[in-house]
Amino acid sequence: MRKRLTKWRLIPLLAVLTLVLAGCGEPFLSTLQPAGEVADIQYDLMVLSTLIMVVVIAVVVVIFIYVVLRFRRRKGEENNIPVQVEGNHKLEIIWTVIPILLLIVLTVPVVTATFKLAEVDAIEDENRKPEEAIVVNVKANLYWWEFEYPDYGIVTSQDLIVPTDEKVYFNLISSDVKHSFWIPAIGGKMDTNTENVNKMWLEFDSDRMDQVDPTGYFYGKCAELCGPSHGLMDFKVKPLPRAEFDQWISDMEGAKVVATSDVAKQGEQLFEEKGCIACHAVSPTDERPAAARTAPNLATFGERARVAGILEHNEENVRAWLNDPETLKPGNKMTGTYPKLSDQELDALTEYLMELKVSNK
Ligand code: HEC
Ligand SMILES: [Cu+2]
């Protein structure tokens, strides 16, 4: 009786685990709720392989239980030696052929999908029309992301903006160590390396754009352990219908950010005096080569989903970040590169940064 009770004690533990794991199922961050063609293909492969595994395990367990019960030592038969079998052709053929068949069932769709997902010739295609299939150069850095649109000569960071219902092609590189580009609900992941360019495509299905979070974003992640703040290396993805995307592109192309209020003007001046401008561009048409762009482009900072990819986007958090980035993101590359800021300087810089927007003007 006691023993039985001990076993029941596991139930609350399992219940808590269920609750906690249920939190992993947000539709803007879940591989199990695909929202595009690539994610669909990857999801189907997962379901297929899981099904095969479950069937194999079930069959093995059933046979195992049957054998244990059927051939157990019975009372009064302790000294019986059962028939000793050495080799059985029929059985051996069966348990060799079945795995081969299962592997074929698994291989055909996997290989087909692999080739399909690797179709990126369009990136090099001279006749490619950017208005039909866009290319984004992704540069991963400790611990932030840059997105360059080479067709339009514009650069942004942390928030990836893409059109829906068409293939979006990605060139992936890293500026320091190996990272990995992953948008769980849309597809991936693929490594970003320093020594070569990896290529992939994704598609954002407009029918499933209701899966975004309340502010209109899917969540992206670094999926390769890269340092102490790897878990904080997030980015956000906003899919827009083509017309709105085109509008965003033309806003970006024509963006001329000017500080309006006096405090913001002061902030703008501090931005130069404190050396922020040496790392951060504030114009989306940043013409420096990729290697020279060592910090997030801040042209759209005022309309970002997050501060530094992780904090809720409000003035308090901008201040907190500028005051002490190290506590918020250990090991980041901004810590200690500028003198300690006074309260008044923090206010001015925050006001200036929050005014950096390209749309609605
Ligand atoms: C040595 C280069 C460097 C200097 C100087 C620098 N930063 Fe940064 N900054 C970075 C890097 C790198 C990041 C990305 C950190 C991360 O997320 O890991 C960053 C992140 C930020 C962010 C968050 C960006 C986002 O998209 O959410 C803001 C805001 C910012 N810096 C403002 C400033 C201001 C204001 C100054 C001047 C007082 C400054 N930075 C000085 C390199 C620099
Ligand atoms: Cu990482």
Side-chain angles (χ1 to χ4, degrees):
M1 187 64 198
R2 251 212 122 145
K3 217 164 165 202
R4 270 234 181 115
L5 277 179
T6 325
K7 272 189 204 146
W8 282 106
R9 268 202 246 146
L10 278 177
I11 300 276
L13 179 71
L14 289 176
V16 170
L17 212 59
T18 315
L19 268 182
V20 172
L21 290 178
C24 303
E26 298 287 8
F28 44 82
L29 179 64
S30 173
T31 311
L32 303 181
Q33 281 157 278
E37 191 182 345
V38 172
D40 283 339
I41 296 174
Q42 294 177 334
Y43 177 78
D44 290 345
L45 289 179
M46 267 193 296
V47 170
L48 176 69
S49 50
T50 309
L51 271 181
I52 292 180
M53 285 187 282
V54 169
V55 169
V56 169
I57 290 174
V59 169
V60 170
V61 166
V62 167
I63 296 178
F64 175 79
I65 292 173
Y66 171 76
V67 169
V68 165
L69 295 177
R70 172 79 179 72
F71 298 104
R72 73 185 189 281
R73 194 163 66 177
R74 294 188 167 79
K75 269 231 166 74
E77 294 179 7
E78 280 87 355
N79 296 324
N80 263 9
I81 305 281
V83 188
Q84 300 296 297
V85 182
E86 285 176 17
N88 180 324
H89 265 137
K90 213 199 266 169
L91 273 180
E92 281 161 16
I93 288 173
I94 290 177
W95 71 53
T96 310
V97 169
I98 290 181
I100 291 177
L101 289 180
L102 289 181
L103 280 183
I104 292 174
V105 170
L106 203 54
T107 307
V108 173
V110 168
V111 172
T112 317
T114 306
F115 278 96
K116 182 149 203 230
L117 296 181
E119 273 166 21
V120 290
D121 290 346
I123 297 181
E124 312 296 346
D125 183 357
E126 280 171 11
N127 299 321
R128 180 179 60 82
K129 298 198 180 79
E131 58 276 14
E132 283 162 14
I134 193 163
V135 172
V136 182
N137 296 338
V138 175
K139 182 161 69 92
N141 314 264
L142 293 163
Y143 299 95
W144 60 280
W145 298 86
E146 181 182 274
F147 307 108
E148 179 187 18
Y149 299 72
D151 298 324
Y152 303 100
I154 57 178
V155 179
T156 188
S157 300
Q158 313 289 42
D159 286 11
L160 168 65
I161 314 290
V162 286
T164 52
D165 293 334
E166 62 191 77
K167 283 191 171 180
V168 182
Y169 292 92
F170 295 94
N171 287 314
L172 308 173
I173 58 158
S174 165
S175 70
D176 35 47
V177 301
K178 205 186 274 285
H179 303 276
S180 184
F181 178 76
W182 190 30
I183 310 170
I186 302 295
K189 56 198 170 80
M190 189 175 268
D191 277 1
T192 65
N193 298 333
T194 49
E195 66 273 17
N196 71 303
V197 181
N198 281 341
K199 295 164 200 268
M200 66 187 269
W201 62 272
L202 293 173
E203 195 256 337
F204 300 76
D205 185 351
S206 61
D207 288 343
R208 287 176 278 178
M209 287 306 117
D210 51 350
Q211 281 180 227
V212 291
D213 81 345
T215 51
Y217 290 86
F218 283 100
Y219 288 18
K221 289 259 164 203
C222 172
E224 179 77 44
L225 187 57
C226 54
S229 285
H230 160 65
L232 305 173
M233 190 169 157
D234 294 356
F235 60 99
K236 302 285 174 284
V237 189
K238 185 171 224 164
L240 296 174
R242 207 2 134 156
E244 283 176 44
F245 178 78
D246 287 341
Q247 181 59 46
W248 178 76
I249 290 282
S250 73
D251 286 345
M252 288 288 275
E253 285 172 331
K256 188 107 191 73
V257 185
V258 276
T260 50
S261 71
D262 283 350
V263 184
K265 282 193 181 122
Q266 227 179 323
E268 184 172 25
Q269 208 176 340
L270 283 168
F271 199 78
E272 284 171 27
E273 286 169 17
K274 300 285 174 186
C276 320
I277 195 90
C279 295
H280 292 284
V282 285
S283 155
T285 46
D286 185 355
E287 271 151 25
R288 295 175 297 171
R293 302 193 298 254
T294 55
N297 186 308
L298 297 177
T300 62
F301 181 78
E303 51 202 351
R304 286 243 222 287
R306 292 285 190 284
V307 177
I310 44 167
L311 307 169
E312 202 183 314
H313 194 264
N314 57 39
E315 294 189 356
E316 201 182 321
N317 283 336
V318 179
R319 251 175 145 272
W321 169 260
L322 297 181
N323 190 37
D324 180 12
E326 190 60 18
T327 311
L328 298 167
K329 232 185 197 185
N332 78 79
K333 301 292 176 206
M334 170 156 143
T335 300
T337 59
Y338 54 93
K340 184 100 189 125
L341 302 166
S342 71
D343 274 353
Q344 190 259 334
E345 288 170 335
L346 285 172
D347 288 342
L349 279 167
T350 303
E351 178 124 352
Y352 169 61
L353 288 169
M354 283 304 215
E355 281 195 4
L356 298 176
K357 293 180 186 177
V358 299
S359 47
N360 306 323
K361 272 202 267 158

